[in-house]
Amino acid sequence: MAELASSRLILVTAAILCSLSLGSECRSKSRFINMQCESYNESYAVFEKCKLNLLGRGRVGADMYLKLFQTPVENCWINWAMYRRYNGFQPFLYNVSTDLCQLLGNPNAISFQGLVINAIKKGSNLNHSCPYNHDIIVDNMEFSDDFLKTLPLPQGVYKIQLRFATYKVWRVQVAVFIERTE
Ligand SMILES: *[C@@H]1O[C@H](CO)[C@@H](O)[C@H](O)[C@H]1NC(C)=O
Ligand SMILES: *[C@@H]1O[C@H](CO)[C@@H](O)[C@H](O)[C@H]1NC(C)=O
Ligand SMILES: *[C@@H]1O[C@H](CO)[C@@H](O)[C@H](O)[C@H]1NC(C)=O
């Protein structure tokens, strides 16, 4: 809880800094540079697709297909952790676990989780409340700078790692690597 409160505080401070600056930090460019998917148990779930596509004009889309062998899923937690590359990848700013079913039903748009979940909802079929009784498809989801507008991250390479648990067992992990340039 303390962790959540402090990340909200950082987010709000960042948003204020961003609007006070003349927009230089807020207009920098970010793009996906790599993506990795891993299933911890291939009898439970398998990634049939996990790749980045060049969409032209420097745009990159994330494509993923996760086949689920045991549905419906009515209980799902997500852990998101951010890393920044600096002598290897070091934990950076976020490491939060949340009830994904609850969040899908009612995201708080101001929180970091709200921003991530709204981005996921727009770019995938992970876009309704639980239960889930179908495979999970992400179709050329683009990384939007809007998402980071409220987070003036310094330039660098970041890894956002999402881990998913159903019924209290960690099942899969998806990591996306983002490069932010000025
Ligand atoms: C992997 O998942 C299958 C299907 O849910 C389950 O029967 C099996 O026990 C799991 N294996 C491990 C090592 O957890
Ligand atoms: C996040 O926190 C959990 C629980 O405190 C810990 O087990 C895990 O290693 C942490 N992950 C990262 C990337 O720091
Ligand atoms: C969720 O995504 C699927 C696939 O893109 C789409 O067909 C469906 O209409 C979406 N549902 C909602 C509630 O947005």
Side-chain angles (χ1 to χ4, degrees):
M1 225 30 222
E3 185 179 41
L4 200 60
S6 68
S7 36
R8 286 226 171 105
L9 191 61
I10 290 167
L11 195 66
V12 170
T13 313
I16 293 168
L17 284 176
C18 201
S19 56
L20 285 179
S21 74
L22 295 169
S24 51
E25 287 95 320
C26 310
R27 233 184 286 125
S28 51
K29 292 267 171 269
S30 311
R31 62 188 186 99
F32 287 133
I33 53 171
N34 195 5
M35 178 171 173
Q36 293 168 352
C37 304
E38 182 185 349
S39 168
Y40 301 146
N41 179 348
E42 299 214 319
S43 307
Y44 188 85
V46 167
F47 285 97
E48 293 196 338
K49 200 159 62 173
C50 174
K51 65 183 168 84
L52 295 178
N53 294 321
L54 291 172
L55 305 175
R57 285 183 293 128
R59 289 158 54 227
V60 179
D63 241 0
M64 195 204 84
Y65 191 108
L66 176 65
K67 195 161 186 50
L68 294 176
F69 296 115
Q70 281 187 0
T71 56
V73 172
E74 290 177 59
N75 177 297
C76 187
W77 281 67
I78 183 170
N79 168 261
W80 27 51
M82 199 191 277
Y83 299 76
R84 184 177 185 197
R85 192 169 70 194
Y86 183 80
N87 285 334
F89 281 93
Q90 308 292 339
F92 183 79
L93 220 47
Y94 293 102
N95 177 6
V96 185
S97 294
T98 326
D99 184 334
L100 183 62
C101 284
Q102 197 178 65
L103 203 59
L104 282 166
N106 181 26
N108 172 355
I110 305 171
S111 67
F112 177 68
Q113 291 101 305
L115 292 172
V116 178
I117 209 69
N118 283 327
I120 291 173
K121 274 173 123 172
K122 256 196 266 172
S124 75
N125 68 352
L126 204 62
N127 61 0
H128 59 80
S129 47
C130 296
Y132 274 79
N133 54 16
H134 55 74
D135 297 341
I136 306 301
I137 303 168
V138 176
D139 184 20
N140 274 330
M141 182 172 113
E142 286 187 63
F143 189 81
S144 155
D145 255 358
D146 288 351
F147 163 61
L148 283 185
K149 223 180 262 169
T150 46
L151 265 185
L153 297 175
Q155 79 183 89
V157 174
Y158 297 88
K159 170 182 170 185
I160 297 177
Q161 176 189 280
L162 307 177
R163 286 192 300 151
F164 296 86
T166 64
Y167 304 100
K168 300 198 163 76
V169 180
W170 294 108
R171 309 289 189 177
V172 298
Q173 169 180 317
V174 176
V176 293
F177 296 77
I178 291 160
E179 182 171 31
R180 188 161 174 83
T181 51
E182 294 302 323

